[in-house]
Amino acid sequence: MPVITYIESSNGKIKKNGFELASYSSELAKLLNTTAIALTVNVSDCSELGNYGISKALKISDDSLNEFNASTYADIITQAVNKTGANTIVVSSSLDSKYLAPILSANIEAAYINNVISLPSNLDPFTVKRTAFTNKAFSDTSSNSEKVIVGLSNNSFGLIENSIPIDEEIFEVSISNSNLSVESSEKVSGKISIADADIVVSAGRGMKGPENWNLIEDLADTLGAATACSKPVSDMGWRPHSEHVGQTGKPVATNLYIAIGISGAIQHLAGINSSKIKVVINSDPEAPFFKAADYGIVGDAFDVVPRLNEKLKEFKAQNS
Amino acid sequence: MFLFLKKILCTHSIFINFTYIWRNIITQVFMKVLVCISHVPDTTSKINFIEDDTKFDVQGVQFVINPNDEFGLTRAMWLKEKQGASIDVINVGNQSSEPTLRKALAIGADRAIRINSDPNDGFFVAKQISEYIKNNTYDLIIAGRESIDYNGAMVPGLIAGFLNINYVTNCIKLEIDNENVLLDREIDGGKETLKGKLPLIIGGQKGLVEESDLRIPNMRGIMQARQKPLEVIEPYDFNSNTETLKFQKPLPKQAVKLVDSENLDELINLLHNEAKVL
Ligand SMILES: Cc1cc2nc3c(=O)[nH]c(=O)nc-3n(C[C@H](O)[C@H](O)[C@H](O)COP(=O)(O)OP(=O)(O)OC[C@H]3O[C@@H](n4cnc5c(N)ncnc54)[C@H](O)[C@@H]3O)c2cc1C
Ligand SMILES: Nc1ncnc2c1ncn2[C@@H]1O[C@H](COP(=O)(O)O)[C@@H](O)[C@H]1O
């Protein structure tokens, strides 16, 4: 039974997390002595997935699928599962995939284990490590169902190159109607979303007011980073809700998280803990965030951030 | 025979829609809302495990209504106050979650239901709640986008899948006009507005109402809550399909490397050469 992974795309291009999913799925397939199949929607060229061990791409092409609908998407994945006989399904931890996965789980009566950060430590029963208690702990969770859906945490596995020939096949599906229709959608254009970002620059109440956020945005621009904030900052309306990160906000799992003027309350840390490297800039050497940080600068953000930005610009100019 | 037939019908979504329409035609009832309440450790809790790391240590831990459900409960209260709705709250849990249900009643819910069992996984919880909904029709079911302890992000989606009803998660706005609904959903990098019809289930979060709108129980509410019904029902016989074998806490972190604020080149050097993230 092959492993099947649903690879997300936007405007016909595979999203960055797709290559991590492909890497994970093909390594998982090796453990299971099988092959990994990718399912894509409206992507014409899937050859790149072959670089990460995917041996076959099932390509669905239908304009009515340009707009994401969770139950319709869960339905087409169900059809792919039925066609291939796959018992193991791998999806990402994007908002869309977290939306469709439980519906898929109900459809095919599969166990759904999300926030997964490793390959299985045991195949019988299928056991993986996941985060729980909003990153305050891990758990080894097993499935006792024949089918299992693995929701892979962002940036938890990385890329593993393994070039193999990929067979691309058109996959015809029947498309179900939904009683929910999208009226409009707003995307902040030209900005990187927290979910897609490799680097997140985040700031808190230490920035004193919204008028000072140009310092944060400039630094984020230089780094090609997304911007985020602590909860009080969004509660006070200094920044949009969508930037609120933490236990009750968005989770952040990036390679580099830079926290500026954030004290490091337990609720904040819980949401960002699974980021790989944390840099803290805070004027108070006693700020709890330093205990959770990899690198720290004790200093005034208004002094440090602009200088850091200039230095980074120089660095970027030399290294690109 | 009758039971058998009902079982078949129950497993089919038509049954849900049929009873839904039927109820609205023959009885002019207010909107019926069910709020799913997960009972979780307070956000400040230190997380520890006992019994060879197989169980969460509840010692000294204060339990609260899951924050995402708190937003949903307040939104439900507005529906009650402004549009006339009855609010039931439901929890799948053992007796220890009753104070949390009482708190929801003190905030203003009319009736509480506890399905008496250990909530082993999201699949089990969703099956229990789905069975309950099949026998007690609701127009709107409000759950949270995720619980802050299990983080399954699955209970409302599974219920939607089992019952085949409209579902929107990461819901940050909900307006209801008769059976028409308008909702905003957070998407990666923005938001999207959706239109649909009741019955509906949502996974709510902050935005549904604001932090400053959240209700806390007052004295009167607490007194009234004592008189309100809290019904305990026995679970259906379902198995969980996952099992948590063992927990671990993250390894203690290495001490932070402090860099002098006058030596920012050093920070860049460390990020580039040591951490390799630049
Ligand atoms: C139920 C609940 C849920 C919560 N969920 C979240 C959540 O999801 N996310 C979240 O972030 N919070 C959450 N919180 C809030 C959390 O407890 C903290 O209150 C919050 O994170 C503090 O935000 P802050 O660090 O921006 O502000 P503060 O705690 O006020 O810290 C500001 C920091 O800036 C530093 N500073 C001041 N001036 C400067 C300067 N010039 N240069 C550099 N540094 C400076 C200070 O030393 C201080 O450390 C939650 C709280 C509760 C009760
Ligand atoms: N034991 C439970 N009883 C009632 N509702 C629950 C329970 N567990 C989860 N929920 C609901 O489902 C939502 C998502 O939880 P989860 O799938 O665990 O992340 C929560 O916000 C609650 O609304």
Side-chain angles (χ1 to χ4, degrees):
Chain A
M1 300 299 157
V3 171
I4 192 162
T5 177
Y6 162 57
I7 301 286
E8 289 160 274
S9 56
S10 108
N11 300 322
K13 272 199 68 182
I14 291 170
K15 284 197 184 169
K16 208 189 91 205
N17 67 18
F19 302 111
E20 187 178 25
L21 282 190
S23 304
Y24 181 89
S25 303
S26 59
E27 291 302 309
L28 177 57
K30 276 188 205 160
L31 288 178
L32 295 166
N33 268 323
T34 181
T35 55
I37 298 178
L39 179 71
T40 62
V41 176
N42 295 340
V43 180
S44 48
D45 181 7
C46 292
S47 56
E48 229 183 317
L49 292 171
N51 300 343
Y52 301 94
I54 297 289
S55 61
K56 182 173 181 168
L58 291 178
K59 305 199 292 188
I60 301 172
S61 160
D62 191 309
D63 283 346
S64 69
L65 294 172
N66 279 337
E67 210 151 66
F68 176 81
N69 177 292
S71 63
T72 308
Y73 270 61
D75 241 41
I76 58 179
I77 301 174
T78 302
Q79 292 171 50
V81 169
N82 291 341
K83 176 193 157 85
T84 57
N87 281 335
T88 320
I89 300 101
V90 182
V91 299
S92 84
S93 55
S94 71
L95 292 188
D96 283 355
S97 282
K98 278 192 165 172
Y99 188 4
L100 69 81
I103 308 175
L104 176 66
S105 156
N107 280 357
I108 61 175
E109 293 267 322
Y112 170 43
I113 307 177
N114 72 350
N115 298 343
V116 169
I117 55 168
S118 73
L119 286 169
S121 56
N122 192 353
L123 292 175
D124 190 20
F126 187 93
T127 307
V128 281
K129 195 184 283 301
R130 67 184 291 273
T131 58
F133 295 94
T134 321
N135 291 318
K136 289 179 187 168
F138 303 105
S139 74
D140 288 330
T141 300
S142 68
S143 151
N144 44 41
S145 167
E146 197 186 325
K147 288 191 167 63
V148 59
I149 304 168
V150 173
L152 183 67
S153 236
N154 245 356
N155 284 325
S156 62
F157 191 70
L159 299 179
I160 297 185
E161 288 200 38
N162 168 26
S163 232
I164 61 167
I166 179 169
D167 165 26
E168 302 191 34
E169 182 182 313
I170 303 289
F171 180 42
E172 300 284 350
V173 284
S174 66
I175 292 169
S176 56
N177 281 328
S178 163
N179 298 317
L180 282 168
S181 59
V182 176
E183 290 291 285
S184 62
S185 76
E186 280 169 38
K187 268 205 176 171
V188 190
S189 59
K191 275 198 82 167
I192 302 162
S193 75
I194 293 171
D196 289 338
D198 273 333
I199 303 179
V200 171
V201 178
S202 186
R205 210 143 55 173
M207 291 309 293
K208 311 282 191 275
E211 66 281 5
N212 299 322
W213 242 263
N214 59 326
L215 297 181
I216 305 302
E217 304 217 300
D218 289 349
L219 183 61
D221 268 354
T222 305
L223 290 167
T227 51
C229 68
S230 68
K231 177 165 165 291
V233 164
S234 76
D235 285 345
M236 290 183 293
W238 294 2
R239 300 296 291 176
H241 283 318
S242 54
E243 286 196 1
H244 160 202
V245 298
Q247 187 167 10
T248 56
K250 273 206 175 68
V252 184
T254 58
N255 284 328
L256 173 59
Y257 184 78
I258 304 180
I260 302 164
I262 301 177
S263 57
I266 188 166
Q267 298 98 344
H268 186 86
L269 297 180
I272 61 97
N273 249 341
S274 52
S275 294
K276 291 220 174 72
I277 299 291
K278 282 147 260 177
V279 174
V280 168
I281 301 173
N282 196 303
S283 51
D284 175 7
E286 302 294 320
F289 216 141
F290 284 117
K291 290 208 175 65
D294 298 281
Y295 303 103
I297 291 182
V298 178
D300 182 348
F302 295 90
D303 162 49
V304 174
V305 174
R307 287 194 293 115
L308 180 61
N309 190 22
E310 288 312 312
K311 296 264 185 203
L312 280 166
K313 276 188 193 156
E314 283 167 30
F315 170 82
K316 289 270 163 181
Q318 282 164 15
N319 287 272
S320 58
Chain B
M1 177 63 195
F2 176 71
L3 265 177
F4 175 69
L5 235 159
K6 189 167 166 209
K7 193 126 198 136
I8 292 179
L9 282 170
C10 274
T11 54
H12 205 279
S13 65
I14 288 174
F15 179 73
I16 305 291
N17 290 328
F18 175 72
T19 47
Y20 173 74
I21 294 162
W22 177 75
R23 185 171 62 79
N24 281 321
I25 292 172
I26 66 151
T27 51
Q28 264 300 312
V29 285
F30 287 134
M31 184 170 15
K32 273 187 74 184
V33 181
L34 180 68
V35 185
C36 303
I37 301 280
S38 177
H39 162 83
V40 300
D42 168 42
T43 58
T44 56
S45 307
K46 294 261 186 311
I47 305 296
N48 291 305
F49 302 103
I50 49 170
E51 294 181 27
D52 200 18
D53 287 335
T54 57
K55 284 212 164 55
F56 174 60
D57 184 1
V58 296
Q59 189 113 71
V61 171
Q62 179 140 18
F63 280 80
V64 295
I65 300 177
N66 184 42
N68 290 315
D69 304 343
E70 239 186 320
F71 293 104
L73 181 60
T74 300
R75 185 67 192 89
M77 286 303 300
W78 292 1
L79 287 171
K80 174 174 166 164
E81 289 155 3
K82 294 180 188 146
Q83 287 169 268
S86 69
I87 314 292
D88 291 355
V89 290
I90 192 166
N91 170 264
V92 180
N94 53 39
Q95 207 173 1
S96 67
S97 51
E98 287 198 3
T100 298
L101 283 174
R102 285 277 172 222
K103 185 176 171 197
L105 291 171
I107 287 171
D110 300 299
R111 189 167 150 264
I113 302 109
R114 179 169 70 81
I115 302 179
N116 186 28
S117 52
D118 291 327
N120 283 330
D121 71 354
F123 201 83
F124 176 83
V125 169
K127 279 273 188 195
Q128 298 298 340
I129 298 177
S130 298
E131 283 306 315
Y132 184 79
I133 294 169
K134 277 182 195 167
N135 300 317
N136 299 269
T137 320
Y138 289 94
D139 304 276
L140 172 68
I141 301 138
I142 299 179
R145 71 146 197 232
E146 78 173 16
S147 57
I148 62 166
D149 54 353
Y150 187 72
N151 308 113
M154 63 197 291
V155 168
L158 282 167
I159 297 173
F162 293 143
L163 301 179
N164 198 8
I165 47 180
N166 289 337
Y167 169 51
V168 175
T169 193
N170 293 103
C171 184
I172 49 175
K173 190 176 157 203
L174 167 69
E175 295 302 334
I176 299 179
D177 179 13
N178 290 314
E179 47 160 15
N180 298 313
V181 286
L182 201 62
L183 318 100
D184 283 353
R185 162 174 95 95
E186 185 177 329
I187 55 178
D188 282 324
K191 69 174 180 187
E192 158 179 290
T193 302
L194 297 144
K195 207 169 82 173
K197 287 205 187 311
L198 296 177
L200 166 82
I201 178 164
I202 64 162
Q205 63 184 60
K206 182 169 103 171
L208 212 44
V209 304
E210 292 311 323
E211 185 90 11
S212 51
D213 300 320
L214 289 178
R215 302 283 172 94
I216 32 174
N218 57 26
M219 213 44 207
R220 192 161 153 260
I222 293 169
M223 299 302 283
Q224 282 174 342
R226 292 192 188 146
Q227 312 299 324
K228 290 180 179 172
L230 193 165
E231 213 177 290
V232 179
I233 58 178
E234 288 310 309
Y236 276 81
D237 189 14
F238 287 123
N239 289 327
S240 308
N241 64 11
T242 61
E243 195 181 345
T244 297
L245 305 174
K246 231 176 167 59
F247 293 100
Q248 292 116 33
K249 298 217 286 178
L251 296 173
K253 200 148 178 74
Q254 282 200 335
V256 58
K257 276 194 186 162
L258 288 180
V259 176
D260 192 286
S261 69
E262 293 308 319
N263 195 1
L264 298 176
D265 288 323
E266 174 63 8
L267 178 67
I268 294 174
N269 174 34
L270 287 167
L271 292 176
H272 181 59
N273 293 315
E274 188 178 82
K276 303 199 189 316
V277 287
L278 280 188

